[in-house]
């Protein structure tokens, strides 16, 4: 779900080398406008909203924070680890690293020391993976149950208390006290063993054996104590066996109250655990949670909580559930979630914000989080989050207070909120000064200049935006503002170039929307509808023009102004765009085909492949699920299920699906799936022969040229790995004959391995000329030229896609070889500021070690191990650096 913070504004902040002369670097693998336009008409169409102040934890130096967390994880007691992993996950969330965030939450779940932590983190992971619910069904068809993060048996997981057995049951033959006692329950009687009943609690022992009238009586009236005859019989039985039989809910509730009244802790615990089994629905949980609070029944309360959290986000639309969370006192929170209250309300407030950050419930849940924040980091997270919510609700005084507390606690990013409030009150000069103060007093970051640009005009504003892009090229607002400004100056070509700079490496919906507006202003409807289709593929419910119009509606209107294609023409267009590595164009053609009566399963599958290439894994998963849903045959459905399983890490089950599909019908996709999974998961060299055989079988089956080109390309790669260069060259050449453009890269590799670097360079040049998205081609070509040309190619790579890390590493290695240590470290630091990457951190750690800066080397090692705790080379480097520490 798109966060409402981001949907309010079109400025979402989310979203090898063979020859290597350096010893530091390891080997790795339109349409013309029909009419003129005026600035006023453009102004009505193109409106760039201010970037939102996002409710994320964004420390000034995330490397330092990750390093400190990693160090604490190495030294802390087990009970502190889940909380540390939560903070780590918040850092990754602020960096936009969804997979790393999920891994941190998984680590927290795995090392949880209490049932409550297991429940909270398990629910959090289910919420994060809610788009993958279908995987459980697919796994079930493989006779494998996906129990991870599923409901716990709370009663058995909760630790049992150490209950003392009171007194002795030896009454003696001379005692005048009867060994039995009868309890009168209105019209009935229950006879019990006096000593057994007395041993249940101190009050019972005192009543039956102490200086009280009842201790001399054989009949005691308990009619006014709220227990039924059946309940008292169960108590009597429990006093002898210490276990409760299966009883009706009403009877158990009576016994729970009775146990609390007479302080029968063992009886209460047994009853609490029995009651937990009655929580089977949200309504049950609502009713029983109130009782759990009243009677201090932690097992029942935890079971109710689990039911609520398993139904996130839907349960937060239930006012009864929300009321329970909001009204819970400190004692009730302890009953419900033990000492994990901050974890719980951190989850609840995040989910509530994703639903609607403006609601009163969201505010109240965030206020609860603020109340529970204890450590400085917790306060930074909680107060900044509440400040963002208050700002969105235009509650400026409250927001100012929250941001001030967060800033004072050390969250410098909260200054953006304080500046925004000052600007809203007409004090732009003060807002500018606040941000200038932060820029001069710390290592400047891109967001600081972007925020300061909001409070200036003209060249000063553009200068700050350029600086913001220089420091953090992933920020979308600067590109959008510059593009809109150029369009207002009637320079459409430069405006499109500017927004394309970002869309070349970051498929941001708000930037696609702006480009659509630029195309509309130019009356280039063909290009506009292409981007509309891309938006609708990524987010079918997307609304444009400040949320006023559904993107699908604009697509329908534009459809009347573009050429319509029949099915054959669509396939030709798809083939053309796929061959030119035009992924957005290919998405548009597939979208058109899906609107017809074409075979939708195949098309959704192709769509998923493109989305993976565009680094949109969630949308790709959705398309793959739709492919499965629309599969025309059983064997086709099995293939799509195999890909679903493979993409979620279930390789063995994916192979099983491929084999099932082949057993029904030998098909290209089934053989290709099996070959792909084996090639990716097999370390045994003998797998190569099997993969070759499978790909050859795939090529014998009917398929279109797009897929056969991919199979030939993959087959060529396997032959290269087996050092069969002639066979590899034949495969790549055959793939190129059917216009599988990416085969140029494979053929270049063959030329290089034959010691023909010039031919390899020329081959990659052909790919660069043909491919619309060619940053990776420039990077690969840099392997096959002299250092000066390599530096030129890699500079182009950085311009086209600043998120590709290899160029920074190469340049840093060259600088290090030239004994320019500071410049080399600065080159890596420049990229690390906006890209959390293990290889960048690894290389910088090695540089720091080389110049004798042990603390900095150790810091980078620990931060890198936060990204991949099992990275063997990083572990070895850390061990070596640790040995140098004084």
């Amino acid at each position: 779900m798109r966060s409402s913070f981001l949907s309010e504004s079109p400025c979402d902040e989310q979203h090898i080398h063979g020859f290597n002369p350096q010893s530091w670097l390891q080997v790795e693998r339109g349409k013309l406008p029909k009419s003129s336009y005026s600035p006023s008409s453009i102004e009505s169409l193109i409106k760039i909203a201010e970037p939102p102040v996002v409710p994320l934890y964004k420390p000034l130096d995330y490397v330092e924070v990750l390093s400190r967390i990693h160090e604490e994880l190495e030294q802390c007691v087990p009970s502190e680890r889940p909380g540390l992993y939560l903070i780590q996950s918040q850092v990754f969330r602020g960096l936009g690293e969804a997979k790393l965030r999920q891994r941190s939450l998984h680590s927290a779940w795995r090392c949880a020391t209490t049932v409550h932590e297991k429940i909270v983190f398990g629910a959090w992971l289910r919420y994060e993976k809610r788009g993958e619910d279908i995987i459980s069904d697919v796994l079930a068809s493989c006779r494998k149950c996906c129990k991870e993060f599923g409901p716990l048996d709370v009663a058995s997981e909760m630790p049992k208390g150490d209950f003392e057995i009171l007194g002795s049951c030896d009454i003696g033959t001379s005692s005048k006290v009867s060994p039995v006692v009868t309890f009168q329950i209105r019209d009935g009687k229950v006879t019990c063993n006096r000593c057994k009943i007395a041993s249940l609690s101190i009050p019972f022992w005192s009543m039956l054996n102490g200086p009280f009238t009842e201790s001399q009586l054989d009949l005691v009236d308990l009619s006014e104590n709220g227990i039924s005859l059946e309940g008292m019989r169960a108590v009597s039985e429990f006093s002898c066996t210490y276990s409760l039989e299966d009883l009706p809910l009403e009877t158990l509730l009576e016994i729970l109250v009775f146990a609390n009244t007479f302080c029968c802790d063992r009886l209460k615990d047994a009853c609490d655990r029995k009651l937990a089994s009655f929580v089977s629905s949200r309504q049950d949980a609502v009713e029983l949670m109130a009782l759990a609070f009243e009677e201090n029944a932690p097992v029942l309360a935890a079971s109710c909580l689990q039911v609520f959290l398993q139904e996130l986000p839907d349960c937060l639309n239930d006012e009864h559930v929300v009321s329970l969370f909001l009204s819970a006192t400190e004692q009730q929170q302890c009953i419900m979630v033990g000492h994990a209250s901050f974890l719980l309300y951190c989850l609840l407030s995040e989910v509530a914000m994703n639903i609607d950050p403006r609601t009163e419930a969201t505010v109240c849940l965030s206020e609860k989080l603020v109340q529970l924040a204890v450590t400085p980091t917790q306060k930074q997270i909680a107060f900044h989050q509440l400040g963002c919510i208050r700002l969105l609700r235009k509650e400026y005084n409250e927001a100012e207070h929250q941001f001030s507390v967060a800033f004072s606690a050390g969250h410098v990013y909260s200054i953006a909120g304080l500046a925004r409030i000052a600007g809203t009150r007409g004090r732009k000069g003060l807002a500018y000064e606040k941000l200038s103060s932060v820029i001069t007093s710390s290592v400047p970051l891109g967001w600081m200049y972007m925020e300061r640009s909001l409070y200036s005009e003209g060249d000063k504003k553009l200068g700050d935006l350029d600086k913001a892009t220089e420091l953090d090229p992933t920020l979308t607002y600067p590109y959008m503002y510059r593009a809109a400004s150029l369009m207002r100056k009637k320079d459409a070509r430069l405006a499109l170039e500017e927004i394309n700079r970002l869309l070349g490496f970051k498929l941001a919906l708000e930037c696609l929307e702006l480009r659509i507006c630029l195309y509309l202003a130019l009356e280039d409807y063909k290009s506009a509808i292409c981007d509309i289709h891309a938006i609708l593929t990524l987010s079918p419910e997307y609304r444009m023009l400040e949320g006023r119009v559904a993107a699908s509606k604009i697509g329908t209107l534009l459809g009347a102004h573009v050429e319509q294609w029949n099915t054959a023409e669509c396939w030709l267009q798809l083939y053309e765009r796929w061959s030119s590595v035009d992924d957005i164009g290919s998405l548009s053609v597939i979208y058109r085909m899906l609107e017809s009566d074409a075979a939708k399963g195949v098309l959704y599958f192709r769509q998923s492949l493109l989305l993976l290439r565009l680094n949109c894994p969630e949308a790709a998963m959705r398309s793959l699920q739709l492919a499965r849903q629309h599969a025309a045959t059983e064997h086709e459905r099995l293939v799509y299920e195999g890909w679903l399983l493979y993409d979620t890490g279930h390789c063995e089950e994916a192979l099983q699906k491929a084999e099932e599909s082949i057993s029904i019908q030998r098909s290209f996709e089934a053989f290709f799936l099996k070959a792909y999974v084996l090639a990716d998961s097999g370390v045994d060299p003998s797998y190569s022969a099997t993969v070759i055989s499978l790909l050859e079988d795939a090529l014998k089956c009917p398929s279109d040229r797009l897929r056969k080109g991919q199979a030939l390309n993959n087959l060529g790669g396997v032959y290269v790995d087996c050092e069969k260069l002639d066979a590899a060259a034949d495969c790549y050449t055959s793939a190129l004959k059917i216009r599988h453009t990416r085969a140029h890269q494979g053929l270049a590799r063959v030329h290089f391995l034959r010691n023909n670097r010039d031919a390899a360079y020329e081959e990659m040049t052909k790919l660069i000329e043909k491919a619309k998205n060619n940053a990776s081609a420039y990077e690969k070509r840099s392997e096959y030229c002299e250092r000066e040309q390599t530096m030129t190619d890699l500079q182009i790579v950085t311009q086209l896609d600043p998120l590709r890390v290899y160029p920074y590493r190469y340049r840093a290695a060259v600088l290090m070889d030239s004994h320019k240590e500071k410049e080399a470290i600065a080159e890596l630091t420049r990229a690390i500021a906006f890209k959390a990457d293990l290889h960048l951190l690894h290389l910088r750690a090695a540089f720091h070690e080389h110049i004798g800066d042990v603390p900095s080397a150790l810091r980078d090692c620990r931060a890198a191990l936060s990204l991949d705790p099992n990275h063997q080379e990083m572990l070895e480097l850390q061990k070596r650096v640790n040995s140098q520490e004084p």
Side-chain angles (χ1 to χ4, degrees), residues 6 28 150 155 172 241 383-384 539 593 654 692 802 854:
L6 303 175
E28 65 169 339
T241 64
F383 279 95
H384 177 75
S539 180
M593 296 170 78
I692 290 171
V854 172

Side-chain angles (χ1 to χ4, degrees), residues 62 263 298 436 449 505 539 562 604 650 689 876 883:
Y62 76 86
C263 304
S436 295
Y449 286 96
F505 67 91
S539 180
V562 297
Y604 278 122
H650 301 282
E876 291 171 2
S883 68

Side-chain angles (χ1 to χ4, degrees), residues 33 91 128 165 290 390 393 538 635 760:
V91 176
E128 290 283 321
I165 299 175
R390 295 289 193 190
R393 287 162 58 98
L538 292 165
H635 68 84

Side-chain angles (χ1 to χ4, degrees), residues 453-465 477 481:
S453 76
L454 303 176
Y455 312 109
S456 58
E457 302 295 336
D459 291 343
K460 205 172 183 181
K461 184 184 189 79
L462 289 172
D464 273 352
L465 290 173
Y477 176 78
Y481 183 88

Side-chain angles (χ1 to χ4, degrees), residues 241-258:
T241 64
Y242 295 120
S243 67
L244 286 172
E245 299 297 325
D246 291 333
L247 297 166
L249 175 62
E250 294 75 12
T251 305
L252 284 169
L253 294 177
E254 289 176 6
I255 296 172
L256 180 64
V257 175
F258 180 85

Side-chain angles (χ1 to χ4, degrees), residues 688 692 715-729 749-750 753-754:
S688 296
I692 290 171
L715 184 56
V718 181
Y719 278 133
V720 168
D721 292 340
C722 297
E723 300 181 356
K724 297 179 179 180
L725 299 185
D726 291 341
R749 187 181 175 198
V750 171
L753 292 172
R754 288 171 170 171

